[in-house]
Amino acid sequence: MLYTELQPVDSFQVKLAHPFSFYDRQMITLFYQPLIGSEAVSLFLTLWTDAENMEAQEHTHYYLMNILSFPLQRIFEARISLEAIGLLRTYKKTDEMENRSFLYELLPPLDAPSFFHDPLLSTFLFSKIGEQPYRQLRSRFLQESINEEMYQDISRTFLDVFQPARGDQAMELTYGLEFQGKTVAPGIPFYMSDFNFELFYSGLSEQMIPKSSLRSISQEMIAKLSFLYTLTPLDMQKVVMIAMDENHQVTEERARKAAAEFYKMNRSKVPPRLKKAFALPVNDEPMPEDLSREEELVYYLENISTIDMLRQITDKEPLSVDINLAEELILTHEFPIGVVNALFQYIMLRNDMKITKGFAERIASHWASKKVEDVKTALELARKEHDKYMKWLKEGKQPNTGTRKPIREEKVPEWFAKRTNKSKKAETPSDFNVEEERRKLMKELGIQETEVK
């Protein structure tokens, strides 16, 4: 389902919220990289470099795949990591021809004080790099305050130096215009809809704690602490009680310490860790009933990703070169994913379970010249080509004597496992017989069995 989100042919442009500085690069490298990983940072820096061009340029995502040497899946995962951490906003536009284009707006990172004061970011960084590196990093960005007992501020104000003058014309020329300036870092996009504030406040009222006691702490901070330490609204009521000072007030600093202590006492002494929970949407619609074998095969090829298909056939993780080849075929020939799946299976049938780039590109060019645009047409053409191939083997390599060994037949897995119970995945039995499965495969495809002697 990745191709519903992003395809190599989709174009993009990059926009900077404001020109970034060396300080921003330090923040991204030292603070954000441990949380989102090096691939997400590489994508950010690549987009940043591209955006510094004086004239905006438009590229396809195939350009990013070549620059970063990443497959599309990893580029997409890096992109959503940047979005989640607050370094990127993504905008999508679809024209009347269903062509998609994206605008990537790079956002500035938080500064060091804001990062350390954010309970989510600071805690996750601590759990990622450990206590000693965390203390060293904090010390590196500490700013020594000016000793006001030794120094007196004698700086002049604006009115001490300048006198007002008429500026009506200048105001008219700039009225209503938006100018590029330093953008305040928005931080991580965090939504509070999962926290039950009504239950939280009602419990505090029952304990005679006025709502004004929380005037120094934002609702966002309460929700973040609840999310970080997996605390319920009832737990957060106890945290507030612990965090109260002698004036019945709760500050953000005291709330953070109280939540951390409550977590250690009731959950775990190990700091909470950052874990990705995002998953691409999957097509969970059941296969329609009463389909013929041909229709089942077409449905299967159209509704499975190439990665999952290869994983089912080989019973192991697909090679990255095969995934990159699939993306190239989609980009070059604009094949639907189902056609690429049919092409890969046909290649494996013909090439002793191996996918070779040269062979795949020759078959793909032939199919493109035949205007193959859907799975059904691809299967029909594959069967015709396979029949020709088997006939050529029989007629062109027929042995003259009976002493010559028969030509070895290709051993292939079944293309599509026919299941009696369609709600269960096909399983490979322990006594898997390659030749028996091959005969089933040939029957599924409507290919006549030909003996080659």
Side-chain angles (χ1 to χ4, degrees), residues 143-394:
Q143 183 176 8
E144 186 177 351
S145 59
I146 298 175
N147 190 335
E148 295 182 356
E149 295 180 357
M150 297 178 59
Y151 294 92
Q152 179 183 2
D153 186 2
I154 60 171
S155 306
R156 268 67 172 179
T157 66
F158 181 84
L159 294 179
D160 289 336
V161 181
F162 299 101
Q163 293 294 326
R166 288 182 58 83
D168 297 344
Q169 185 177 3
M171 292 296 295
E172 291 175 1
L173 291 175
T174 58
Y175 179 75
L177 299 178
E178 293 186 6
F179 297 93
Q180 187 182 49
K182 186 170 178 59
T183 305
V184 177
I188 56 176
F190 186 85
Y191 302 100
M192 304 176 290
S193 58
D194 292 338
F195 187 82
N196 191 336
F197 280 100
E198 183 178 355
L199 176 61
F200 172 71
Y201 286 124
S202 64
L204 291 179
S205 299
E206 292 173 1
Q207 299 179 42
M208 305 300 293
I209 299 174
K211 197 172 181 179
S212 59
S213 299
L214 302 177
R215 67 180 60 170
S216 299
I217 181 172
S218 65
Q219 285 191 338
E220 182 180 11
M221 176 63 73
I222 295 172
K224 280 185 175 181
L225 291 174
S226 170
F227 170 80
L228 173 63
Y229 295 112
T230 60
L231 303 179
T232 66
L234 299 180
D235 293 333
M236 286 304 298
Q237 292 172 12
K238 298 174 184 177
V239 168
V240 168
M241 294 288 292
I242 298 172
M244 271 191 177
D245 59 17
E246 61 275 8
N247 298 320
H248 297 281
Q249 297 297 312
V250 180
T251 63
E252 290 192 351
E253 186 63 27
R254 291 178 66 91
R256 289 178 58 185
K257 292 180 178 179
E261 288 300 321
F262 187 90
Y263 175 83
K264 290 179 183 178
M265 295 295 295
N266 296 275
R267 296 289 191 274
S268 172
K269 295 186 181 299
V270 179
R273 293 182 176 273
L274 187 65
K275 180 181 179 181
K276 288 187 179 180
F278 177 85
L280 286 170
V282 296
N283 184 9
D284 54 1
E285 295 182 2
M287 181 186 295
E289 297 181 359
D290 301 326
L291 295 181
S292 65
R293 288 186 173 183
E294 174 75 8
E295 290 171 338
E296 284 186 354
L297 178 57
V298 171
Y299 182 91
Y300 171 80
L301 294 174
E302 288 178 341
N303 290 276
I304 189 171
S305 69
T306 304
I307 295 177
D308 289 337
M309 183 195 70
L310 294 176
R311 189 181 290 129
Q312 288 181 8
I313 291 177
T314 61
D315 198 27
K316 59 184 180 181
E317 286 300 312
L319 299 175
S320 60
V321 291
D322 295 338
I323 305 305
N324 293 339
L325 176 59
E327 293 171 349
E328 287 184 30
L329 295 177
I330 292 172
L331 175 66
T332 305
H333 302 290
E334 299 183 358
F335 285 151
I337 187 65
V339 172
V340 174
N341 289 340
L343 188 147
F344 270 28
Q345 290 194 348
Y346 174 58
I347 292 171
M348 297 177 78
L349 175 68
R350 284 279 303 272
N351 204 29
D352 195 24
M353 291 296 292
K354 296 190 293 289
I355 298 176
T356 54
K357 184 175 182 180
F359 187 31
E361 289 176 342
R362 288 199 300 272
I363 299 296
S365 298
H366 176 60
W367 285 16
S369 65
K370 292 289 187 180
K371 301 294 190 294
V372 175
E373 297 178 350
D374 56 74
V375 174
K376 188 175 181 180
T377 306
L379 290 176
E380 291 174 355
L381 186 57
R383 288 168 182 150
K384 291 179 182 178
E385 292 297 320
H386 187 75
D387 288 342
K388 292 180 182 179
Y389 171 68
M390 297 303 294
K391 184 178 179 181
W392 173 80
L393 280 180
K394 183 177 181 180

